Amino acid sequence: MTSQSQGIQQLLQAEKRAKDKLEEAKKRKGKRLKQAKEEATAEIDHYRLQREKDFRNKQTNVMGSQGNLSAKIEEQTTETIRNLTSSYHKNMESMMKKLLSTICDISPEIHPNFSHAV
């Protein structure tokens, strides 16, 4: 009987060691998963920061060129306004004379379709 109880004791001890090893393996697995998650998060953050930096650089390049485009358009608008103003001042006198002569110099005439019924 003692050999049977000794065998049962050995089995119980072996079962306990197996259970301890299983728990230890679960803890290591949990640690590895946690570490892998942290590494993945760090890698994702690094990638996100890099992509945001690239986006900001591209946005700056585009907005910078839009700023230059805006300055060119403003310059062209100013030049067009200047040309129109000078043209207005140059031609105003002659146009006013022409307009006044057309309005004031009336020569009465009978319309060709008018038939004189007398």
Side-chain angles (χ1 to χ4, degrees), residues 62-72:
V62 169
M63 294 304 278
S65 66
Q66 284 181 351
N68 294 341
L69 183 62
S70 177
K72 287 179 184 178

mmCIF file of all heavy atoms in Angstrom, residues 62-72:
data_model
loop_
_atom_site.group_PDB
_atom_site.id
_atom_site.type_symbol
_atom_site.label_atom_id
_atom_site.label_comp_id
_atom_site.label_asym_id
_atom_site.label_seq_id
_atom_site.Cartn_x
_atom_site.Cartn_y
_atom_site.Cartn_z
ATOM 1 N N VAL A 62 2.179 72.646 -51.715
ATOM 2 C CA VAL A 62 0.998 73.024 -52.492
ATOM 3 C C VAL A 62 0.503 74.395 -52.080
ATOM 4 O O VAL A 62 0.210 75.247 -52.922
ATOM 5 C CB VAL A 62 -0.119 71.961 -52.338
ATOM 6 C CG1 VAL A 62 -1.424 72.455 -52.911
ATOM 7 C CG2 VAL A 62 0.300 70.672 -53.017
ATOM 8 N N MET A 63 0.400 74.633 -50.771
ATOM 9 C CA MET A 63 -0.087 75.922 -50.295
ATOM 10 C C MET A 63 0.908 77.023 -50.646
ATOM 11 O O MET A 63 0.491 78.140 -50.938
ATOM 12 C CB MET A 63 -0.315 75.881 -48.782
ATOM 13 C CG MET A 63 -1.441 74.937 -48.366
ATOM 14 S SD MET A 63 -2.994 75.304 -49.163
ATOM 15 C CE MET A 63 -3.546 76.616 -48.121
ATOM 16 N N GLY A 64 2.178 76.700 -50.627
ATOM 17 C CA GLY A 64 3.174 77.696 -51.020
ATOM 18 C C GLY A 64 2.996 78.086 -52.471
ATOM 19 O O GLY A 64 3.030 79.253 -52.823
ATOM 20 N N SER A 65 2.760 77.095 -53.332
ATOM 21 C CA SER A 65 2.557 77.414 -54.743
ATOM 22 C C SER A 65 1.242 78.144 -54.925
ATOM 23 O O SER A 65 1.112 79.002 -55.787
ATOM 24 C CB SER A 65 2.601 76.139 -55.599
ATOM 25 O OG SER A 65 1.516 75.290 -55.296
ATOM 26 N N GLN A 66 0.229 77.823 -54.106
ATOM 27 C CA GLN A 66 -1.022 78.563 -54.186
ATOM 28 C C GLN A 66 -0.811 80.004 -53.736
ATOM 29 O O GLN A 66 -1.413 80.924 -54.271
ATOM 30 C CB GLN A 66 -2.094 77.900 -53.323
ATOM 31 C CG GLN A 66 -2.668 76.647 -53.933
ATOM 32 C CD GLN A 66 -3.744 76.024 -53.068
ATOM 33 O OE1 GLN A 66 -3.962 76.435 -51.922
ATOM 34 N NE2 GLN A 66 -4.414 75.037 -53.610
ATOM 35 N N GLY A 67 0.032 80.197 -52.754
ATOM 36 C CA GLY A 67 0.342 81.549 -52.309
ATOM 37 C C GLY A 67 1.016 82.336 -53.422
ATOM 38 O O GLY A 67 0.702 83.500 -53.655
ATOM 39 N N ASN A 68 1.946 81.705 -54.144
ATOM 40 C CA ASN A 68 2.587 82.358 -55.281
ATOM 41 C C ASN A 68 1.571 82.640 -56.371
ATOM 42 O O ASN A 68 1.594 83.690 -57.006
ATOM 43 C CB ASN A 68 3.716 81.483 -55.834
ATOM 44 C CG ASN A 68 4.848 81.330 -54.848
ATOM 45 O OD1 ASN A 68 4.978 82.125 -53.922
ATOM 46 N ND2 ASN A 68 5.672 80.319 -55.048
ATOM 47 N N LEU A 69 0.669 81.692 -56.605
ATOM 48 C CA LEU A 69 -0.375 81.859 -57.612
ATOM 49 C C LEU A 69 -1.279 83.012 -57.224
ATOM 50 O O LEU A 69 -1.641 83.828 -58.075
ATOM 51 C CB LEU A 69 -1.180 80.563 -57.754
ATOM 52 C CG LEU A 69 -2.261 80.542 -58.817
ATOM 53 C CD1 LEU A 69 -1.650 80.731 -60.199
ATOM 54 C CD2 LEU A 69 -3.014 79.227 -58.759
ATOM 55 N N SER A 70 -1.615 83.107 -55.968
ATOM 56 C CA SER A 70 -2.450 84.200 -55.483
ATOM 57 C C SER A 70 -1.759 85.545 -55.691
ATOM 58 O O SER A 70 -2.398 86.512 -56.113
ATOM 59 C CB SER A 70 -2.756 83.991 -54.006
ATOM 60 O OG SER A 70 -3.501 85.059 -53.499
ATOM 61 N N ALA A 71 -0.476 85.604 -55.429
ATOM 62 C CA ALA A 71 0.274 86.855 -55.635
ATOM 63 C C ALA A 71 0.307 87.226 -57.119
ATOM 64 O O ALA A 71 0.150 88.395 -57.486
ATOM 65 C CB ALA A 71 1.688 86.707 -55.099
ATOM 66 N N LYS A 72 0.475 86.224 -57.994
ATOM 67 C CA LYS A 72 0.479 86.500 -59.437
ATOM 68 C C LYS A 72 -0.874 87.019 -59.898
ATOM 69 O O LYS A 72 -0.954 87.951 -60.692
ATOM 70 C CB LYS A 72 0.846 85.230 -60.206
ATOM 71 C CG LYS A 72 2.296 84.841 -60.109
ATOM 72 C CD LYS A 72 2.578 83.566 -60.883
ATOM 73 C CE LYS A 72 4.018 83.123 -60.716
ATOM 74 N NZ LYS A 72 4.299 81.867 -61.411
#
